[in-house]
Amino acid sequence: VLDHVRHKIAKNLYPELDELHLEARLNTPEVNDLTREYAENMIFGFDFDPDLKKAARMNMVMAGDGHSNIYNVNSLDYPHGDKPDVSRIAPAVMNSIRHSKDKDFNFSTADDNAQGKFDMIFTNPPFGAKVEVDPAIIERANYELQSNAPEVLFIEQCYRFLKPGGKMAIVLPDGILGNPNMEQTRIWILRHFKLLASVDLPVETFLPQVGVQASLLFLQKKTSAEALVPIEEEDYDVFMAIVEKVGKDRRGTPIYEKDDDGAELLFPHTKEWLSYTESGREIVRRRSERIKHLDDDLPKVVKAYQAYKEDK
């Protein structure tokens, strides 16, 4: 996210530059200052594991600071719980709002609660047969979805964290989207969210670490007015895609595009870079080469979604 923001900031500062020259400006003092300011006010991270919090903070430092809003908290138990950072989240979120275009937005939750205030959430919740949520947390948080599976409760908790119109991207096991006994969960999702997109992933996606059949679900929290419309009467388009290849096999070994005989293909490519003469004059140097392409459907899905949005 921070890398994406850095590119956006650089593009705004230097709109006349092409990608090659823009790349050389990504770490100018002006870009660094604006990136750090954005990260310190607008990007938040929550994790149950204190060691992962430390790792994420260090990663943020390496990417341009902004490490101040990474918190050790049980997301499913918020605003309760005994994790050390619970009480620090709401003040930080309210400070973020004061720096944002939402400062005059009429939020439904009090200032001492961060729920109902986020624009966008990205999450890969823990799931699997051996992962269950403490019943005391389920009772304390008063979840509507009757389940002890964290991936189900994460859907509802993300709904609580989002402001009306806010969006989320979540990794979910395919069972939630297809099993007959999960129908009530799917109905709950449709009542509370607009379904923007669903991308089915192959089992190789998370291997060799974890072998799961999962999908990416992109959702938008309904406003109060949108929630009044019965789901049977709703009529809107949904982008759907099936990813068959992710550029690696089950062992994590990269797989490249091949011809019909199984030989790896080489594609023409022009490599460009900036060089400088002894006098400091800037020169663009080029070299023609042939490179391999990962056999990966995900970039194709991105392009297909962009074309889908342009046709809307």
Side-chain angles (χ1 to χ4, degrees):
V1 172
L2 194 55
D3 287 341
H4 176 77
V5 168
R6 179 179 295 277
H7 279 79
K8 288 281 190 180
I9 288 173
K11 189 66 176 176
N12 288 338
L13 285 176
Y14 312 110
E16 74 285 356
L17 297 183
D18 58 29
E19 286 300 319
L20 179 63
H21 289 83
L22 194 66
E23 195 75 21
R25 305 294 193 278
L26 288 180
N27 288 294
T28 63
E30 295 83 3
V31 173
N32 284 337
D33 288 345
L34 289 173
T35 301
R36 182 166 50 252
E37 180 184 355
Y38 184 93
E40 289 176 347
N41 289 294
M42 302 301 173
I43 298 178
F44 291 77
F46 300 162
D47 203 280
F48 181 83
D49 189 330
D51 291 333
L52 288 180
K53 168 192 168 178
K54 295 175 185 176
R57 284 169 63 92
M58 181 56 65
N59 195 9
M60 291 287 281
V61 169
M62 299 297 291
D65 209 354
H67 61 279
S68 53
N69 292 323
I70 309 297
Y71 296 113
N72 177 211
V73 61
N74 185 337
S75 300
L76 291 179
D77 203 14
Y78 186 86
H80 311 288
D82 57 2
K83 292 293 182 179
D85 293 338
V86 172
S87 62
R88 299 171 55 201
I89 294 173
V93 169
M94 294 310 301
N95 180 65
S96 171
I97 291 171
R98 284 191 290 271
H99 285 81
S100 74
K101 295 179 180 178
D102 280 339
K103 50 179 152 303
D104 297 323
F105 191 88
N106 185 24
F107 291 103
S108 59
T109 53
D111 291 354
D112 60 352
N113 189 328
Q115 291 177 326
K117 297 181 173 70
F118 283 83
D119 296 284
M120 198 170 291
I121 293 175
F122 302 91
T123 183
N124 181 4
F127 51 82
K130 297 181 180 180
V131 183
E132 292 187 355
V133 180
D134 185 345
I137 292 177
I138 299 174
E139 182 178 355
R140 183 162 56 236
N142 194 26
Y143 283 104
E144 293 180 27
L145 290 170
Q146 299 298 309
S147 175
N148 61 358
E151 65 269 26
V152 174
L153 299 182
F154 254 88
I155 300 170
E156 183 171 345
Q157 186 70 325
C158 286
Y159 173 84
R160 296 179 180 184
F161 272 115
L162 287 170
K163 74 175 187 181
K167 298 176 182 178
M168 66 180 282
I170 185 171
V171 180
L172 290 175
D174 282 353
I176 288 183
L177 306 182
N179 286 353
N181 63 349
M182 299 300 295
E183 181 180 7
Q184 290 305 311
T185 299
R186 293 192 291 274
I187 291 175
W188 191 95
I189 292 172
L190 292 174
R191 283 177 177 163
H192 293 79
F193 293 99
K194 287 184 64 177
L195 179 57
L196 303 178
S198 175
V199 180
D200 186 52
L201 301 172
V203 70
E204 291 84 3
T205 304
F206 300 105
L207 285 171
Q209 287 81 12
V210 182
V212 295
Q213 203 70 47
S215 293
L216 293 172
L217 208 60
F218 299 86
L219 304 167
Q220 183 170 16
K221 181 175 179 175
K222 290 180 178 179
T223 63
S224 299
E226 290 171 334
L228 294 176
V229 180
I231 58 176
E232 298 84 0
E233 298 178 13
E234 290 184 306
D235 183 15
Y236 59 88
D237 294 329
V238 178
F239 177 85
M240 307 190 78
I242 297 175
V243 175
E244 297 179 338
K245 298 166 289 187
V246 288
K248 63 177 182 176
D249 62 18
R250 289 171 177 251
R251 296 185 299 274
T253 305
I255 296 177
Y256 298 94
E257 293 187 15
K258 300 176 181 179
D259 61 21
D260 293 339
D261 297 323
E264 291 181 348
L265 295 169
L266 292 174
F267 299 87
H269 175 73
T270 301
K271 180 179 177 62
E272 294 185 333
W273 68 97
L274 293 178
S275 182
Y276 298 88
T277 65
E278 292 183 358
S279 63
R281 186 168 63 90
E282 188 178 86
I283 301 175
V284 177
R285 297 192 182 277
R286 297 178 177 86
R287 181 178 70 229
S288 295
E289 55 188 18
R290 295 170 68 81
I291 63 173
K292 296 183 289 187
H293 288 174
L294 284 174
D295 196 6
D296 185 0
D297 290 339
L298 286 170
K300 301 172 187 175
V301 171
V302 172
K303 290 182 179 179
Y305 182 76
Q306 290 170 340
Y308 161 80
K309 291 294 290 182
E310 289 172 1
D311 289 340
K312 297 291 288 177

